[in-house]
């Protein structure tokens, strides 16, 4: 008996040789929005691309296999996958979300809750006391981002899953920051995994997409029904590109992590940096859990720079190999100032409660040469400290 293929093999070979018409190695792209009926009253497997599409299904099958799920729904964006998740809730149900989640997720939950779709509470999910208070209300659903965006807080998925099961609560994990290469939440007890496939899964910053992977057939069917009903399913061309992207996911993640780890270590020692958020650092509060539940620490590094806004501005403007842009997980390195960019929809008060300050900088470490990236960061830190010194000198005149 042959042993099951390694996920790297599954990712490379997903849907290869599935073309029975011409024997194409790479699966063809099916753009057609509709399909003929075989004859009156007799449908083929596909009839309309919002409900089902062969290219999108190939990606869904691959993502489900990589996450160890029973089925997956490919959506038009990460936000579409989060919107889909909210349709598992009834009015009056409680949703527990992280207080430092992606700003768009925060905005979606806050505004749907204000319209009465469900109730929401945002808590620090690394705080056992806060979890106890939230679970005393028997929530219907808890969403976890681990590592969280942008502070890379780590939540113990297996422990939370035990708690959730006791309370009849569905556990959903946004796995965007690590991808199934570095973390498989379903194996740790999650019921649902979500992705912004815009990020590492596609990996080339040319698709906006999402996915929801369910641990059970029943949940997968419910989610697929709602995705079709609401019209949230992803486009075939985007699915084609993402399927191509995941073939290199394993090697990309390895390199993202190697460079991010070196950058985090250097930032950690640097006089212009007051705090580094990277789960690979031994002093990160979630380091021990991350070592157990993750297969690596990922390619995202956040840090607080000394010198406030003047330092942030000088740093991002001095960088040459990091683009100042939203998003993450592409081959190219990016720098972002979460309070004014990805987390701008979140109120100043909520940002302060989550610990997201004005000096926070988030790096998505790409696949450029590691030394080039490091040198770039060191020069930009020098520029930042110079700008701060100049400001304090001119301020004292
Ligand atoms: N989840 C996380 C962790 C994210 O960082 C993002 C976007 O940055 C999303 C979800 C939303 O994904 P999208 O931008 O593809 O809608």
């Amino acid at each position: 008996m042959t042993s099951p293929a390694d996920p790297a093999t599954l990712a490379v070979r997903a849907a290869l040789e599935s073309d029975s018409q011409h024997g194409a190695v790479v699966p063809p792209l099916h753009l057609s929005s509709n399909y003929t009926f075989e004859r009156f009253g007799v449908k083929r497997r596909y009839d309309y691309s919002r409900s089902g599409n062969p290219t999108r299904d190939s990606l869904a099958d691959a993502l489900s296999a990589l996450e160890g799920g029973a089925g997956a729904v490919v959506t038009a964006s990460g936000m579409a996958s989060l919107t889909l998740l909210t349709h598992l809730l009834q009015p009056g149900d409680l949703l527990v979300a992280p207080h430092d989640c992606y700003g768009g997720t925060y905005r979606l939950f806050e505004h749907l809750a204000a319209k009465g779709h469900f109730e929401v509470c945002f808590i620090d999910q690394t705080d056992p006391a806060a979890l106890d208070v939230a679970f005393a209300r028997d929530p219907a659903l808890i969403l976890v981002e681990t590592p969280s965006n942008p502070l890379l807080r780590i939540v113990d998925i297996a422990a939370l899953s035990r708690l959730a099961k006791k309370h009849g609560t569905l556990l959903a994990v946004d796995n965007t920051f690590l991808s199934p290469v570095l973390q498989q939440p379903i194996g740790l007890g999650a019921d649902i995994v979500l992705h912004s496939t815009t990020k590492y899964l596609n990996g080339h910053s040319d698709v906006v997409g999402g996915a929801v992977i369910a641990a059970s057939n029943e949940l997968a069917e419910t989610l697929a029904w709602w995705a079709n009903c609401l019209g949230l399913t992803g486009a075939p061309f985007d699915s084609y590109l993402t399927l191509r992207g995941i073939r290199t996911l394993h090697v990309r993640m390895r390199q993202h992590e190697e460079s991010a780890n070196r950058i985090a270590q250097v930032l950690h020692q640097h006089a212009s940096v007051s705090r580094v958020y990277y789960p690979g650092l031994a002093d990160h509060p979630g380091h021990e859990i991350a070592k157990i539940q993750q297969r690596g620490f990922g390619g995202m590094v956040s840090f607080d720079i000394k010198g406030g806004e003047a330092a942030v501005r000088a740093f991002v403007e001095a960088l040459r190999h990091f683009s100042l842009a939203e998003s993450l997980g592409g081959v190219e390195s990016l720098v972002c100032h979460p309070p004014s960019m990805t987390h701008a929809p979140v109120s100043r008060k909520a940002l302060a409660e989550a610990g997201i300050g004005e000096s926070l900088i988030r790096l998505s470490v790409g696949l450029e040469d590691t030394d080039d990236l490091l040198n770039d960061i060191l020069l930009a830190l020098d520029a930042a400290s110079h700008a701060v010194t100049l400001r304090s000198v001119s301020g004292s005149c």
Side-chain angles (χ1 to χ4, degrees), residues 77-79 82 102 105 145 149 174 176-177 196 198-199 208-209 328:
S77 66
M79 288 318 302
L82 285 147
Y102 166 60
T105 305
E145 257 183 33
N149 180 5
D174 186 328
T176 299
F177 262 39
S196 166
T198 314
K199 313 293 172 3
V208 172
L328 59 107

Side-chain angles (χ1 to χ4, degrees), residues 97-103 105-107 110-111 120-124 149-151 153 338-339 343-358 360:
H99 70 339
D100 65 334
C101 59
Y102 166 60
T105 305
Y106 196 103
R107 174 176 56 193
E110 193 181 33
H111 284 78
V120 67
C121 68
F122 297 97
I123 61 163
D124 177 355
N149 180 5
L151 291 177
R153 288 198 173 100
H343 289 65
V346 183
S347 71
R348 296 291 109 178
K349 181 171 171 282
L351 285 178
E353 275 166 16
I356 301 168
E358 285 300 321
L360 186 71

Side-chain angles (χ1 to χ4, degrees), residues 49-325:
S49 274
R50 168 164 41 76
S51 329
N53 173 279
T55 309
R56 193 171 63 231
D57 281 359
S58 295
L59 174 61
D61 291 347
L63 294 178
S64 181
L66 288 175
E67 287 286 6
V73 179
V74 171
T75 57
S77 66
M79 288 318 302
S81 71
L82 285 147
T83 303
L84 181 55
L85 180 74
T86 63
H87 282 77
L88 298 176
L89 297 168
Q90 313 289 336
D93 280 352
L94 177 65
L95 162 62
V96 179
H99 70 339
D100 65 334
C101 59
Y102 166 60
T105 305
Y106 196 103
R107 174 176 56 193
L108 175 75
F109 292 169
E110 193 181 33
H111 284 78
L112 286 180
K115 284 167 81 83
H117 288 230
F118 48 81
E119 289 176 29
V120 67
C121 68
F122 297 97
I123 61 163
D124 177 355
Q125 296 178 343
T126 63
D127 175 2
L131 281 173
D132 282 348
V133 172
F135 271 99
R137 294 173 64 191
D138 288 330
L141 175 67
I142 179 162
L143 172 76
V144 177
E145 257 183 33
T146 180
S148 65
N149 180 5
L151 291 177
L152 296 119
R153 288 198 173 100
I154 302 292
V155 175
D156 184 337
I157 299 174
L160 195 55
S161 151
R162 288 192 290 275
L163 193 59
K165 284 194 171 57
K166 236 194 269 168
H167 289 264
T169 305
L170 279 177
L171 170 59
V173 177
D174 186 328
N175 203 22
T176 299
F177 262 39
L178 289 180
S179 92
V181 172
L182 299 184
Q183 180 169 269
Q184 290 176 305
I186 289 175
L188 297 164
D191 302 293
I192 296 166
V193 173
L194 296 107
H195 280 282
S196 166
T197 58
T198 314
K199 313 293 172 3
Y200 288 108
L201 285 168
N202 177 58
H204 293 75
S205 303
D206 49 10
V207 167
V208 172
V212 188
I213 298 105
S216 71
N217 283 320
E218 195 192 342
L219 262 178
E221 276 164 26
T222 305
L223 289 163
W225 189 89
W226 274 111
N228 178 46
C229 174
L230 294 162
L232 299 178
T233 48
F237 187 55
D238 292 349
S239 301
Y240 178 86
L241 287 176
T242 307
L243 193 58
R244 183 168 72 161
I246 64 170
R247 299 190 198 287
T248 54
L249 181 65
H250 283 72
V251 280
R252 282 190 283 114
M253 291 314 291
R254 219 178 290 146
Q255 184 59 38
H256 283 300
E257 176 175 356
E258 193 182 309
S259 293
N261 193 34
R262 274 187 63 199
I263 288 170
Q265 307 286 349
V266 169
L267 288 172
H268 194 49
Q269 305 296 327
H270 203 282
S272 302
V273 172
S274 55
R275 183 159 176 194
V276 183
Y277 307 87
Y278 185 67
L281 294 173
D283 67 354
H284 184 287
H287 180 66
E288 291 306 320
I289 300 167
K291 269 204 309 200
I292 295 167
Q293 74 181 10
Q294 301 176 192
R295 277 192 227 103
F297 300 111
M300 299 298 298
V301 182
S302 295
F303 66 99
D304 287 315
I305 194 167
K306 290 183 188 166
E309 203 203 298
V312 172
R313 185 183 295 272
F315 178 79
V316 301
E317 287 179 357
L319 287 168
R320 289 189 312 127
H321 300 315
F322 289 77
S323 306
L324 178 62

